[in-house]
Amino acid sequence: MSVLKLTYFELFNINVSITLDLNELNNKYLKLQTKFHPDKYSNSSAVEKTMAARISTRINDGYKILGDLTTRVDYILKINNFTTDENITFKNNQFLIEQMELTEMINNSDRKQYNNIKKEIKAKIASLILDMKNNLSTGDFDILYQNNSMIKFYKKNINQLSK
Amino acid sequence: MALIQISDPDKSVAFNKELSVGIDLGTTHSLIAKKEGENLVFFKDNNNVLIPSIISDENGKLTIGDLNSKNSVKSIKRLIGVTSKELHTINYEDLELDSSEDLPRVSLGNNKYNAIELSSKILSHLCEIAQSHENTSVNSAVITVPAYFNDMQRQATKLAAEMVDIKVLRLISEPTAAAIAYGIDDKKTGNFIVYDLGGGTFDVSILSIEKGIFKVLSTKGDTHLGGDDIDRLLNKYLLDNYPHLTKLHKTELYNLSKFLKHGLSNKNTITNEKHNVSIDLNDFNKLINPLIEKTLKLLNEAIIESKVDINDIKNIMLVGGSSRLKIIKSTLNEIYKINILDYLNPDTVVAEGAAIQAEVLSGNAKDDFLLLDVLPLSLGIETYGGLSEKVIHRNTPIPSSSEKTFTTFKDGQSKMMINVVQGEREDISECISLAQFILSDIPPLVAGAARIKVRFQVDADGLLTVSAKEETSDKETTIEIKPSHGLTPELIQNMISTSNNKAENDKNYRALKESIVEAERAIYAIEEALKVDSNDLLNQTELDLINQAIDNLQDALLSKNIDTIKLANDNLEKTSEFYVERRMNNSIKSIITGKDINDII
């Protein structure tokens, strides 16, 4: 076993899952960095320095990817060898129409209504998360990918509403 | 040493008997400090802890810190890492600059110097002060930089230190250093804001401190906003309202502004009898209000990006001499209603943090802690149409790496220009170009078919390395670059040889000594590690191999020949690489299986 070949889930010893406990992730992150951060190797030999720097980088990269829902799901797809051509944009006509309507609604509403719209969108995300959990257990990666893509759109909507 | 730490972090042994210091290389003044156990020492120059970052020419010889010299340059920090092309982004009307080369040069006496050379003069002076107090030369240092310094400014600072033979243990951000000084002070925990308004730069960082870990959550700043700008506004105000002051030399006007500004930090009105001027606090506050507003905007952005609820923030730590202004405390109090910490001297707190970190990194500290910092500004690549495609986003914990795949936009395109940029804006003309290089030998394919993988690696100092690889052909072209910012190898060599007044013999002796220390450290680390787990991790053949390499290195040490020692040391490192890797794997396994969760955190 080489540390650098572990998946991020293995590195953090967290089960592969759509949602995870961010506090637990953070605790494990701090524990790993306490051991491998380059500052802990400032008086070490060159080999150790290089290796620690690589491991520390990987811990940071994993922390970043597992810490966010959509990047985490993208990563789950990746370790399950699911690939899709990035150049083919996500196609789902019904969803695109919904997005257009949503954008229009956001543009036409005043700030007071923002919180309600946000709530609605968050409910949609929550239901998609449930779907994704099923998709993962049944191995429907194609649908998992599509659901994750929809969440990315919803997150953009929320960002727009938070400005 | 880290080999030992893996088995038992408490039994680390300090090899570094030489002097390790913390340096705050500031815009208006610089400090050098040392921490040793309970003792914190600020080295004084002419009885002053704050050493003015002023460089004067006295008959062709450069001296540091003379406030009254009329043949001097100050605030050189604003020029560091800035190329001639970017000069329009900064304020330099008081300097006489030659921008005919990539790096602007300042006229001083009969010579011209770039900012790296001048900074290295200051660093060298600081080290001489420490040396004269300690009777031993400074070997290594933690140097602080504004959190919002970009890659060019960080590289340039590090180079300035290396030019005068200071080994840089780590570059750390100024607000982070201040947080260390406050945080270590009484084992604070929670989320904190560091508001750092210095002589030339403003930074704000949000940190969480828990269980000896300082984690930077977000950072924002402006590398050209500080006390200097207040002085400039005040200069202008004085000239507008007191025409008789136009006769004053710029140094005298500058000193007058300083006098008035400092007076207003504890009085409501201040008068200077000699020049017959006075200003009251209200007028002064009105004058500088736009600057304060700017800092508040950045502070709000930092809070949003940290994702920490404002109610979960415990304190605001005030850092930097300019944070003494009354209006800052009252405004922060009014808006945020968070307790302000200002009991450590805002002028010295950064150097204190740097000295604490230097002690830890040199392996001499009893109290250990860990600092997790972030990248302050996003790094990206210019894509077709002059847009920046971000590869590593700001506020990502460092060290960090990321890859992006790019492709060609013309059929048969065989070369690709890669422009590495830093900054937040989409439009690359608003970003800083760190490096440009050409990837050639791309196999002729239709547009969009080639796959060029570009990898960014940022180290713990926040410094970037970029590599690019063409993946479609069997042949992989890999290019690795470090941003150089107009610093050609020749220029660096030239600067080093002219700056270095040490005798050649001296340098050779030092290099030999360092290689011996390095070798002894390697032997010690390996032998200690072998005692712990050679039985579990190595078979007899492997153990013999490593022991043989140790014996060889010990023989080489007797030769006192630097090349022989280095060769034998490299050999030991190569021979033991697999063993080091096994130990790291082993140690990660024990963390993963979770049996020591509570021991470590």
Side-chain angles (χ1 to χ4, degrees):
Chain A
M1 181 196 79
S2 164
V3 182
L4 296 166
K5 296 213 170 89
L6 296 175
T7 70
Y8 294 138
F9 287 104
E10 288 165 341
L11 183 64
F12 284 85
N13 190 31
I14 286 175
N15 290 332
V16 178
S17 59
I18 302 292
T19 55
L20 52 80
D21 178 350
L22 291 179
N23 273 332
E24 187 194 350
L25 179 72
N26 189 50
N27 284 339
K28 293 195 167 166
Y29 167 72
L30 296 179
K31 193 151 63 84
L32 287 167
Q33 284 297 17
T34 305
K35 205 88 176 178
F36 292 104
H37 190 278
D39 281 358
K40 299 284 176 190
Y41 294 82
S42 57
N43 281 310
S44 304
S45 64
V47 184
E48 288 168 286
K49 273 187 187 151
T50 316
M51 213 167 288
R54 274 200 229 138
I55 297 172
S56 177
T57 300
R58 212 166 146 74
I59 295 165
N60 274 333
D61 296 351
Y63 180 60
K64 193 171 62 186
I65 282 176
L66 297 189
D68 174 82
L69 173 68
T70 51
T71 54
R72 187 189 313 133
V73 174
D74 280 340
Y75 186 68
I76 292 175
L77 289 166
K78 189 180 160 193
I79 56 179
N80 281 288
N81 297 317
F82 176 86
T83 48
T84 176
D85 194 332
E86 290 156 30
N87 294 322
I88 299 173
T89 38
F90 158 71
K91 276 180 196 152
N92 178 331
N93 282 336
Q94 200 194 330
F95 181 73
L96 288 180
I97 291 168
E98 191 205 294
Q99 269 294 310
M100 283 192 278
E101 286 170 356
L102 194 58
T103 317
E104 206 183 317
M105 184 163 88
I106 294 172
N107 290 339
N108 292 334
S109 31
D110 61 68
R111 294 203 149 259
K112 282 179 210 149
Q113 293 164 291
Y114 276 16
N115 271 339
N116 283 333
I117 304 176
K118 259 196 234 174
K119 255 187 217 161
E120 268 177 51
I121 297 175
K122 280 183 181 165
K124 289 181 190 208
I125 292 179
S127 122
L128 281 171
I129 289 175
L130 282 181
D131 289 350
M132 291 201 297
K133 286 184 176 173
N134 286 327
N135 302 151
L136 179 61
S137 63
T138 53
D140 284 332
F141 294 121
D142 197 38
I143 303 177
L144 181 59
Y145 169 74
Q146 298 207 19
N147 284 335
N148 196 36
S149 304
M150 287 194 254
I151 292 183
K152 287 180 192 169
F153 276 96
Y154 286 138
K155 280 174 110 181
K156 274 188 195 157
N157 298 140
I158 290 182
N159 278 341
Q160 200 189 341
L161 289 165
S162 305
K163 269 177 189 165
Chain B
M1 187 183 77
L3 279 166
I4 311 160
Q5 281 185 335
I6 286 179
S7 51
D8 185 355
D10 299 329
K11 279 193 197 151
S12 54
V13 170
F15 277 93
N16 201 336
K17 293 283 190 308
E18 285 164 340
L19 189 53
S20 295
V21 295
I23 294 177
D24 173 1
L25 184 62
T27 309
T28 41
H29 48 244
S30 300
L31 296 92
I32 180 164
K34 177 193 80 163
K35 178 136 187 302
E36 214 173 63
E38 296 300 307
N39 294 325
L40 176 72
V41 181
F42 291 101
F43 297 109
K44 290 182 183 169
D45 191 20
N46 299 324
N47 234 359
N48 277 323
V49 168
L50 305 184
I51 299 150
S53 303
I54 290 180
I55 305 140
S56 327
D57 176 281
E58 274 175 28
N59 308 319
K61 198 178 167 293
L62 296 187
T63 58
I64 308 296
D66 182 357
L67 280 171
N68 298 315
S69 165
K70 289 184 180 166
N71 196 12
S72 65
V73 291
K74 62 181 180 60
S75 302
I76 209 67
K77 189 172 172 179
R78 76 200 123 142
L79 271 185
I80 201 151
V82 175
T83 58
S84 295
K85 273 185 267 170
E86 293 150 2
L87 274 179
H88 63 277
T89 61
I90 66 165
N91 224 321
Y92 61 92
E93 74 253 16
D94 57 318
L95 296 175
E96 200 182 309
L97 288 187
D98 172 357
S99 56
S100 62
E101 291 179 11
D102 283 347
L103 292 181
R105 289 177 301 158
V106 185
S107 297
L108 181 59
N110 295 321
N111 286 308
K112 291 174 180 171
Y113 307 90
N114 64 43
I116 299 176
E117 291 169 312
L118 292 173
S119 300
S120 75
K121 297 283 179 217
I122 298 175
L123 287 167
S124 167
H125 180 69
L126 295 175
C127 290
E128 280 162 19
I129 296 166
Q131 189 171 347
S132 71
H133 285 86
E134 294 282 306
N135 281 324
T136 171
S137 65
V138 170
N139 181 52
S140 56
V142 167
I143 301 177
T144 59
V145 291
Y148 226 53
F149 253 20
N150 64 34
D151 191 80
M152 298 169 76
Q153 293 166 311
R154 283 166 197 260
Q155 298 267 15
T157 305
K158 193 172 182 183
L159 182 60
E162 286 168 353
M163 273 173 55
V164 285
D165 275 342
I166 304 167
K167 181 180 155 206
V168 179
L169 289 167
R170 184 72 74 226
L171 297 176
I172 64 172
S173 297
E174 287 158 9
T176 316
I180 290 174
Y182 268 111
I184 290 293
D185 182 58
D186 56 2
K187 304 232 180 324
K188 289 187 171 55
T189 59
N191 298 312
F192 299 87
I193 293 173
V194 185
Y195 180 102
D196 179 359
L197 188 59
T201 59
F202 172 69
D203 281 320
V204 54
S205 291
I206 318 289
L207 291 104
S208 83
I209 307 177
E210 54 174 322
K211 294 161 188 156
I213 300 178
F214 292 73
K215 189 176 166 206
V216 181
L217 302 175
S218 66
T219 192
K220 270 276 169 186
D222 186 332
T223 51
H224 299 106
L225 169 63
D228 279 355
D229 298 282
I230 295 172
D231 298 340
R232 251 193 301 278
L233 287 174
L234 206 47
N235 285 349
K236 188 170 175 304
Y237 174 92
L238 292 175
L239 293 176
D240 289 350
N241 290 281
Y242 300 96
H244 68 274
L245 294 178
T246 41
K247 296 193 298 275
L248 281 188
H249 184 274
K250 64 175 188 190
T251 306
E252 284 174 296
L253 182 63
Y254 169 80
N255 288 340
L256 175 61
S257 289
K258 287 241 149 175
F259 166 80
L260 296 174
K261 181 175 77 172
H262 293 162
L264 288 173
S265 66
N266 54 26
K267 288 193 192 87
N268 287 327
T269 178
I270 177 97
T271 306
N272 179 289
E273 312 263 328
K274 184 181 162 204
H275 296 292
N276 193 24
V277 296
S278 73
I279 180 168
D280 75 27
L281 191 60
N282 277 338
D283 288 339
F284 176 69
N285 285 348
K286 239 181 264 167
L287 188 68
I288 65 167
N289 192 49
L291 296 183
I292 305 300
E293 290 289 323
K294 252 191 190 174
T295 67
L296 294 178
K297 187 169 168 280
L298 293 167
L299 171 54
N300 285 333
E301 287 170 11
I303 294 172
I304 290 169
E305 281 174 30
S306 74
K307 297 189 176 129
V308 172
D309 190 298
I310 185 87
N311 296 315
D312 291 336
I313 294 176
K314 246 191 194 162
N315 297 118
I316 301 180
M317 301 165 176
L318 288 188
V319 184
S322 309
S323 73
R324 283 199 181 88
L325 295 172
K326 271 185 177 172
I327 185 177
I328 289 179
K329 271 179 220 176
S330 59
T331 314
L332 290 175
N333 249 328
E334 201 178 307
I335 300 180
Y336 299 100
K337 303 190 169 51
I338 297 173
N339 264 346
I340 286 177
L341 293 183
D342 59 355
Y343 62 85
L344 294 177
N345 182 341
D347 284 321
T348 59
V349 64
V350 168
E352 180 176 342
I356 296 170
Q357 176 77 337
E359 191 194 21
V360 168
L361 291 184
S362 63
N364 293 318
K366 260 196 301 178
D367 278 337
D368 209 357
F369 62 88
L370 180 63
L371 177 58
L372 301 170
D373 216 331
V374 297
L375 180 73
L377 293 149
S378 302
L379 292 162
I381 283 198
E382 175 181 357
T383 56
Y384 193 58
L387 295 178
S388 155
E389 168 89 18
K390 305 223 163 75
V391 180
I392 304 186
H393 287 265
R394 66 160 178 257
N395 292 331
T396 298
I398 51 175
S400 178
S401 69
S402 195
E403 283 181 343
K404 279 245 160 129
T405 307
F406 295 88
T407 189
T408 47
F409 72 95
K410 266 192 207 154
D411 288 346
Q413 184 180 341
S414 64
K415 284 182 183 167
M416 185 184 257
M417 159 84 141
I418 295 182
N419 182 16
V420 181
V421 296
Q422 187 162 33
E424 302 317 314
R425 303 289 289 273
E426 291 265 293
D427 179 352
I428 66 124
S429 64
E430 302 277 325
C431 297
I432 286 166
S433 172
L434 297 180
Q436 297 187 343
F437 61 101
I438 289 170
L439 194 66
S440 49
D441 293 336
I442 298 173
L445 294 164
V446 290
R451 294 181 70 78
I452 290 120
K453 200 169 250 184
V454 179
R455 184 182 161 83
F456 280 34
Q457 168 77 47
V458 177
D459 69 15
D461 289 323
L463 301 178
L464 171 71
T465 310
V466 181
S467 56
K469 197 160 89 180
E470 200 290 305
E471 287 196 313
T472 30
S473 55
D474 281 345
K475 195 183 78 184
E476 288 189 345
T477 318
T478 305
I479 287 186
E480 193 167 296
I481 59 136
K482 276 189 183 292
S484 60
H485 330 304
L487 297 168
T488 59
E490 294 77 32
L491 181 61
I492 292 175
Q493 197 47 50
N494 197 8
M495 287 197 298
I496 290 177
S497 52
T498 50
S499 84
N500 227 324
N501 42 18
K502 284 196 181 110
E504 194 67 13
N505 275 343
D506 221 37
K507 282 183 81 173
N508 288 342
Y509 173 71
R510 195 182 163 117
L512 173 65
K513 221 171 98 187
E514 268 167 20
S515 71
I516 291 174
V517 171
E518 183 72 21
E520 284 173 345
R521 177 182 293 160
I523 293 174
Y524 183 84
I526 279 276
E527 284 184 337
E528 287 298 307
L530 289 173
K531 276 187 214 159
V532 177
D533 57 20
S534 61
N535 287 340
D536 301 334
L537 297 178
L538 299 174
N539 64 34
Q540 195 55 46
T541 326
E542 290 166 338
L543 182 62
D544 290 346
L545 260 169
I546 292 175
N547 277 329
Q548 183 60 49
I550 295 175
D551 288 348
N552 288 345
L553 180 53
Q554 262 156 352
D555 288 346
L557 279 172
L558 298 176
S559 75
K560 304 260 183 231
N561 177 310
I562 184 164
D563 295 326
T564 316
I565 294 172
K566 278 193 170 161
L567 197 66
N569 198 10
D570 284 352
N571 177 50
L572 174 61
E573 298 219 325
K574 275 200 201 89
T575 312
S576 58
E577 192 169 358
F578 73 95
Y579 174 49
V580 173
E581 190 170 354
R582 271 181 213 173
R583 300 196 91 228
M584 295 231 179
N585 287 337
N586 217 33
S587 115
I588 224 166
K589 252 190 247 169
S590 75
I591 294 187
I592 286 176
T593 49
K595 58 183 177 203
D596 55 0
I597 287 189
N598 298 322
D599 307 343
I600 298 178
I601 286 213

